[in-house]
Amino acid sequence: MVKPLTFKGDKKPKKRKRAENSEKGGPSDDPERQSKVAKAEEVEEGEDDGWVSADVVTDINGPVMFVLPTEPPTALACDAAGKVFTLPIENIVDNNPITAEPHDVRQVWVANKIVGTEYYRFKGHHGKYLSCDKIGLFSANSDAITPIESFNVIATADTPGTFQIQTRRDTFLSVRASRSSKANAPPEVRGDETEITFDTTLRIRMQARFKPKLKASREEKAWEKISRRELEEAAGRKLEEDEVKKLKKARREGNYHETLLDLKVKGKHDKYG
């Protein structure tokens, strides 16, 4: 299930706790335990919805934000009509691109690898795909994926954590000063640069829950969490405090089933010994 996008400053809805344990006289009867669990869930929820930097190409998936090499930093954005432009980033600390987060849904693109290829597609907030035509003009009006909606994401060789967005014509997304005569006109984005330069080098911010390493870490933490009652049900008997600690440690270290079996055998010996 896809969660709605969240931005800095948004109030997070409080989770409703299940009453099952309370009805059964379980651990949730303890107010102190309830408080600790609620705080832990709140911290995890915040981390889950936060934005982090993509480190390698294989990280890129789900909602992303392209932080462009402008001063001050801007993001690649599009409006409901499909116009693609640069938009100043408001959620940023000391203009440091690795702290950038979107404040406007127009700055958010959904990245997916195109099945059977090494190319990516980027869908705007209005459901249309980013494309670059033969003269290097970007737009976001397409409902379908053709070569002009397909992009190669390349990690920059000498600058870890940065990327190049390459079109199927082997040109690169770049930003340049506006040619407009208007004062303070925003930088322009183009797709006709033929060389990798500072102006083609960007950072990609993404939602934490889609980053493979963080996702694996959360799954590991979820596996490690287990209540005393669950352990006793698995063991088929009441457990001593040291046995509970031993099983929880085994969950963390990966030898849970062997340890559980040992405790079951020990329990039988104690019963008939």
Side-chain angles (χ1 to χ4, degrees):
M1 180 175 161
V2 178
K3 297 181 183 178
L5 290 171
T6 56
F7 301 102
K8 273 186 180 176
D10 287 353
K11 289 185 178 179
K12 297 186 185 297
K14 292 185 178 179
K15 290 185 176 180
R16 296 179 65 182
K17 302 297 183 295
R18 293 180 181 175
E20 292 176 5
N21 284 339
S22 297
E23 292 170 0
K24 296 177 181 179
S28 62
D29 285 337
D30 183 353
E32 185 178 351
R33 179 181 174 82
Q34 282 183 331
S35 177
K36 287 180 180 178
V37 170
K39 286 180 181 177
E41 287 181 346
E42 187 175 331
V43 169
E44 286 186 8
E45 183 73 11
E47 291 175 349
D48 195 50
D49 287 337
W51 290 75
V52 297
S53 295
D55 297 316
V56 293
V57 173
T58 51
D59 284 344
I60 301 167
N61 185 42
V64 300
M65 174 189 190
F66 299 104
V67 184
L68 304 173
T70 58
E71 186 58 45
T74 57
L76 186 71
C78 71
D79 61 21
K83 180 182 177 182
V84 174
F85 53 97
T86 61
L87 189 64
I89 300 171
E90 294 181 9
N91 286 342
I92 192 167
V93 179
D94 296 331
N95 282 338
N96 187 341
I98 64 173
T99 68
E101 295 189 12
H103 70 277
D104 189 316
V105 72
R106 294 178 297 172
Q107 297 173 326
V108 179
W109 302 83
V110 178
N112 294 109
K113 183 174 278 193
I114 301 171
V115 178
T117 76
E118 292 302 310
Y119 296 105
Y120 283 81
R121 62 187 182 188
F122 303 109
K123 184 189 288 186
H125 68 284
H126 58 328
K128 308 288 186 179
Y129 292 101
L130 180 69
S131 64
C132 182
D133 68 16
K134 61 184 179 181
I135 63 172
L137 291 178
F138 283 99
S139 62
N141 289 311
S142 179
D143 291 309
I145 301 299
T146 70
I148 66 171
E149 286 82 32
S150 307
F151 299 91
N152 190 16
V153 182
I154 303 171
T156 310
D158 56 354
T159 312
T162 65
F163 303 90
Q164 312 291 324
I165 305 299
Q166 186 183 45
T167 72
R168 295 289 290 272
R169 294 185 178 84
D170 297 332
T171 57
F172 299 94
L173 181 154
S174 67
V175 287
R176 62 184 66 164
S178 174
R179 298 175 184 176
S180 171
S181 58
K182 294 181 181 179
N184 300 320
E188 294 178 349
V189 61
R190 296 279 305 180
D192 54 4
E193 178 60 59
T194 57
E195 301 290 336
I196 291 177
T197 68
F198 175 81
D199 293 334
T200 67
T201 305
L202 53 82
R203 291 185 183 273
I204 298 176
R205 299 280 288 166
M206 61 183 292
Q207 286 199 314
R209 66 175 176 269
F210 291 96
K211 192 167 184 179
K213 285 183 181 178
L214 297 180
K215 189 174 182 181
S217 176
R218 284 196 303 277
E219 289 172 353
E220 188 176 326
K221 286 180 181 177
W223 162 252
E224 290 172 5
K225 287 183 180 178
I226 189 169
S227 69
R228 184 188 190 110
R229 187 179 64 182
E230 289 173 310
L231 290 173
E232 289 180 340
E233 287 176 354
R237 64 179 176 86
K238 292 287 184 181
L239 298 173
E240 300 295 331
E241 188 63 33
D242 64 322
E243 292 176 323
V244 172
K245 290 180 179 177
K246 188 175 183 180
L247 282 172
K248 287 187 175 182
K249 182 180 179 183
R251 294 268 290 195
R252 292 193 299 271
E253 296 178 350
N255 60 330
Y256 169 72
H257 295 291
E258 294 88 342
T259 306
L260 179 62
L261 181 60
D262 289 343
L263 286 177
K264 283 183 175 180
V265 172
K266 177 179 179 293
K268 287 181 180 179
H269 289 167
D270 290 345
K271 183 176 180 181
Y272 298 108

